[in-house]
Amino acid sequence: MTTESRSAATSGSRSNAKSDILDLLAEQRRTFLIAYRGLDEEGARTRSTTSELTLIALLKHVTGTERGWIRTLVERDENAEFDMAAGTESWTVGADDTLAALLADHAAAAEETEAAVRDLDLDVLVPLPTAPWSPERQWWSGIKILMHILRETAQHAGHADIIRESLDGANTTMQMGADAGMEF
């Protein structure tokens, strides 16, 4: 393989890696959102486990977390500090936070991520905000940040499934099976 063809293959493989990550992230978002099917405002705000988590708070948090990481990826601020108030706000649901508005915001954040990643060099090094639990600045690659967003979304999809199943018995696996035409 020549240097030119190796370079083209590497470039193509990075492009495929980007597409693969975005596809997996979209898949995890769809899985996460299954917990919200047929849910009304009251159900979204109901605590169904011993945890303080509600589905509406989880939705707001997942959206805010993705936006925060994409902002870190795009801005690359070497002086950034984690905004504790914004972190707390991402879990705080107000009277004006409706399920419909938060679902729309989640979809908008997904579109913003897709746009930000489109021209991203996955190997770019990004300074992370310092935080009380991480006082020394760390640098992560673009791909590591995207993998972290993917992990966060997948982790919270599991949380959402447990909360929803505790609410009314709805189950992500059964919903996915029904979507595929399976009868139970």
Side-chain angles (χ1 to χ4, degrees):
M1 184 178 266
T2 67
T3 303
E4 284 179 14
S5 61
R6 193 171 21 257
S7 177
T10 300
S11 174
S13 120
R14 277 306 200 191
S15 176
N16 291 339
K18 195 183 303 184
S19 294
D20 288 347
I21 292 168
L22 289 174
D23 287 348
L24 285 170
L25 183 54
E27 179 183 313
Q28 286 305 305
R29 285 192 203 103
R30 284 190 299 275
T31 300
F32 173 70
L33 292 174
I34 288 172
Y36 296 85
R37 287 184 186 171
L39 191 65
D40 62 15
E41 200 69 35
E42 180 183 352
R45 293 174 182 274
T46 300
R47 281 183 53 206
S48 65
T49 68
T50 58
S51 170
E52 292 290 324
L53 279 178
T54 63
L55 284 168
I56 199 166
L58 197 56
L59 176 60
K60 187 173 182 180
H61 170 72
V62 166
T63 303
T65 298
E66 182 169 333
R67 270 210 179 100
W69 277 105
I70 293 301
R71 186 173 37 258
T72 297
L73 183 63
V74 170
E75 291 176 0
R76 300 184 197 143
D77 182 355
E78 292 186 33
N79 299 305
E81 294 179 19
F82 183 78
D83 184 344
M84 293 299 288
T88 300
E89 173 63 23
S90 81
W91 290 103
T92 306
V93 179
D96 293 340
D97 289 322
T98 66
L99 180 58
L102 290 173
L103 286 168
D105 194 40
H106 184 264
E111 289 177 15
E112 292 162 15
T113 296
E114 295 275 338
V117 172
R118 193 171 297 123
D119 297 321
L120 176 70
D121 172 5
L122 293 176
D123 294 321
V124 67
L125 288 178
V126 178
L128 302 189
T130 57
W133 55 86
S134 183
E136 298 295 319
R137 182 139 344 262
Q138 295 181 41
W139 294 75
W140 282 10
S141 68
I143 198 167
K144 186 171 181 177
I145 289 173
L146 292 175
M147 296 303 290
H148 182 73
I149 295 168
L150 177 62
R151 183 187 68 178
E152 281 276 328
T153 304
Q155 173 183 333
H156 291 312
H159 292 147
D161 189 37
I162 290 167
I163 294 168
R164 180 61 190 264
E165 191 167 1
S166 297
L167 271 175
D168 62 9
N171 174 296
T172 298
T173 303
M174 298 295 267
Q175 289 288 323
M176 291 171 83
D179 291 350
M182 299 173 76
E183 292 184 33
F184 300 95

